[in-house]
Amino acid sequence: MQAPFPRFVLSLLLVLVVIFGATKVKKGGDFPEYGLTAIALAQHGTPYITLDDVDRAIALSHEAGFRDLFTTIRANMARGDEVPLPGLIRSRHGHYLAIHFFAYPAMAAIPMRVLDVLGVDPFKAGQLVNLLPVFVLGIACYLLLGSARRAWLALALFLLCGALRYLTWFSPEVFSMAALLSGLILFSLGRPVAAVVLPGLAAMQNPPLLFVALFAPLLRVGWLMASEDLPWRAALLRTATRRNVAACAMLITMAGIPVLFSLWHFGEPSLIAKFSSDSALIGASRFGSFFFDPNQGVIVAFPAVVVLLLWQAWTLRAKHIAWLAASALGLMLVLVVPAMSTVNWNSGAAGPMRYVVWAAAPLLFLALAGLALAPRWPARAVLLVLLAQGVAMWHAKGYGHTEFSPAAAWLLRTAPALYNPDPEIFHDRALGIDGEMPENTVIAWPDSRRPSKILYNERHPGAAAILCGQGAILDESGVVRMSRGWRYINGAPRCSTPGHIDVDAPAAQ
């Protein structure tokens, strides 16, 4: 390798060390599961969570909320509850296990013990695990773009596409995103074995990443067509090698290990699919929400990248981008569809939805590939994209998952008919909670006196009386029909009584 490459690797390592030392771990998402499993693996080398492991979690938790949570878990386990906490369950062999597989916590277990000996918060091991694929991604970007400066800009873009909001979480969002991106780049560049290890580990936590084994070879074909101007048949022959087939088989094997583990302990191929997913939720509403919801959709995490992709499609020759673009977008779609089945759609998030940052990452891969294929490095365009993404991340920092983003609140105030969020998003953020959605819910936002938007369920027998008053009839001709019986009214409800029509009636709560 040229001298600049070792210098880049060293500088990348130093920057990541500084980031690790200067930041604190955040315990969002499914941290109770991952944290307890990591402690179990660090203490006795198995993912089986014991009372001693919970005691250790209590001792390491400086936040009253987590101490109380782990104390409750301990009491429930001591009582013999089958489910001491949603996300923890007793297997048919009598062991308490997290419903998520233990690949991510296993990577954190050894650094957790080392940090504990050094007197550093052991939970910072999750940060180390997240930074590992970021390091590999930096090397992959250098190989793709050919210089340290461009690789640094690519890493900055990666961070500004949602990764920055999850970088310090003890949760596998950044790990999955960086593993996916680095894997796609390395496979496209002809390094298949190195490419599949991290995506294989990520697939153990996020099973849809199994599809990388199908689409990575297609991206390799597209890359050869674009970078070497090969016809598709020649590119396909170059891709159909034993090394590539073996690498994809290895990824599939790694992704299958959690299925076998779950079958052994629970008689189910996936507890996530059983308890936390519902295929009936997959539909146009969720699909639109995933991409366009201004609270947590792709539009929050990748707005300028999408513009960059449109510009690249306009400026690059079609044969240079068509196969590559179709493969990347196809991979994104097969990652998105399973994500839409999640029961808790408005789950804990830091701006963009947790599923978004890794499932939409093929968009960023496609943008980086387009930059590598450009005849000349578009410095101004890259800087503009970085600036716009920085603004997007600044916007995403200013709200939690139980409140509307500034952009969403502005839409609800000024043009509510243009924004009909998934009902769960409206319910949780209008009420400021993360909880169940009973069908007898009627919500007027921002308040019932002058509502901008109202949510109710058609199966609620008292909805008309709440909205219009006793004896009045709710005019449903202008309502927006959503899934599972949920309905939106934009503005005040239209109500009628015998012989009289009252337009814009107040919405009583």
Side-chain angles (χ1 to χ4, degrees), residues 50-403:
T50 66
L51 291 176
D52 287 342
D53 300 327
V54 183
D55 287 337
R56 183 60 179 152
I58 294 171
L60 292 175
S61 298
H62 306 295
E63 310 88 348
F66 281 112
R67 283 200 306 272
D68 293 343
L69 175 65
F70 289 130
T71 300
T72 300
I73 292 172
R74 193 193 191 289
N76 294 342
M77 287 175 59
R79 192 168 54 239
D81 289 2
E82 184 177 352
V83 182
L85 175 81
L88 298 180
I89 189 169
R90 188 172 58 198
S91 78
R92 58 186 181 182
H93 304 299
H95 304 296
Y96 282 109
L97 288 157
I99 63 173
H100 288 87
F101 192 63
F102 58 86
Y104 181 83
M107 288 183 284
I110 293 177
M112 177 173 274
R113 294 191 66 171
V114 174
L115 293 172
D116 199 11
V117 170
L118 296 175
V120 179
D121 181 3
F123 285 130
K124 282 179 71 66
Q127 292 176 265
L128 280 176
V129 175
N130 290 341
L131 293 175
L132 169 64
V134 177
F135 178 74
V136 177
L137 176 62
I139 294 174
C141 289
Y142 186 100
L143 297 174
L144 176 69
L145 301 172
S147 78
R149 179 174 62 89
R150 295 177 183 182
W152 279 117
L153 291 173
L155 283 174
L157 186 56
F158 160 77
L159 290 173
L160 294 176
C161 287
L164 186 64
R165 303 290 295 125
Y166 292 97
L167 189 64
T168 59
W169 280 39
F170 199 122
S171 193
E173 283 72 33
V174 165
F175 185 93
S176 297
M177 183 182 183
L180 174 58
L181 278 172
S182 61
L184 296 181
I185 293 171
L186 291 173
F187 203 104
S188 297
L189 295 178
R191 293 170 169 82
V193 177
V196 301
V197 175
L198 289 176
L201 290 168
M204 291 181 173
Q205 302 301 148
N206 295 309
L209 288 171
L210 166 71
F211 289 108
V212 171
L214 173 63
F215 282 88
L218 298 177
L219 290 166
R220 168 68 173 164
V221 171
W223 177 257
L224 290 172
M225 292 171 62
S227 61
E228 300 185 23
D229 206 17
L230 293 179
W232 71 268
R233 287 184 179 85
L236 187 60
L237 287 174
R238 288 259 307 264
T239 302
T241 64
R242 291 181 180 179
R243 289 177 67 241
N244 286 346
V245 172
C248 292
M250 184 170 74
L251 195 158
I252 292 171
T253 301
M254 294 175 72
I257 292 173
V259 176
L260 298 177
F261 184 84
S262 184
L263 285 170
W264 169 252
H265 279 283
F266 302 103
E268 298 281 347
S270 172
L271 293 182
I272 301 296
K274 180 178 180 179
F275 294 118
S276 303
S277 300
D278 183 356
S279 59
L281 297 172
I282 299 174
S285 175
R286 284 279 179 95
F287 187 82
S289 178
F290 186 92
F291 286 98
F292 301 112
D293 189 273
N295 296 293
Q296 62 179 34
V298 171
I299 197 170
V300 176
F302 297 88
V305 170
V306 173
V307 176
L308 176 62
L309 288 172
L310 294 174
W311 177 78
Q312 289 174 335
W314 179 262
T315 56
L316 292 176
R317 288 184 295 169
K319 69 176 182 177
H320 279 175
I321 202 71
W323 185 296
L324 204 62
S327 301
L329 295 177
L331 173 58
M332 180 179 67
L333 290 177
V334 299
L335 297 179
V336 168
V337 171
M340 292 191 297
S341 68
T342 183
V343 172
N344 192 4
W345 188 245
N346 190 62
S347 56
M353 190 181 192
R354 285 184 282 157
Y355 295 103
V356 162
V357 296
W358 58 265
L363 291 175
L364 183 52
F365 164 79
L366 188 56
L368 295 177
L371 291 174
L373 292 169
R376 198 164 59 91
W377 179 258
R380 292 181 180 177
V382 172
L383 291 176
L384 285 174
V385 168
L386 287 172
L387 177 61
Q389 287 294 146
V391 172
M393 286 303 98
W394 173 80
H395 171 268
K397 188 179 180 180
Y399 60 95
H401 78 287
T402 56
E403 56 186 324

Side-chain angles (χ1 to χ4, degrees), residues 379-448:
R380 292 181 180 177
V382 172
L383 291 176
L384 285 174
V385 168
L386 287 172
L387 177 61
Q389 287 294 146
V391 172
M393 286 303 98
W394 173 80
H395 171 268
K397 188 179 180 180
Y399 60 95
H401 78 287
T402 56
E403 56 186 324
F404 291 111
S405 72
W410 179 82
L411 273 174
L412 288 171
R413 285 193 303 268
T414 60
L418 297 180
Y419 176 43
N420 298 301
D422 182 87
E424 183 185 336
I425 291 177
F426 185 85
H427 172 274
D428 288 5
R429 294 176 188 256
L431 296 180
I433 63 173
D434 183 359
E436 298 294 326
M437 284 184 66
E439 291 183 353
N440 61 354
T441 297
V442 178
I443 305 170
W445 189 91
D447 55 57
S448 60

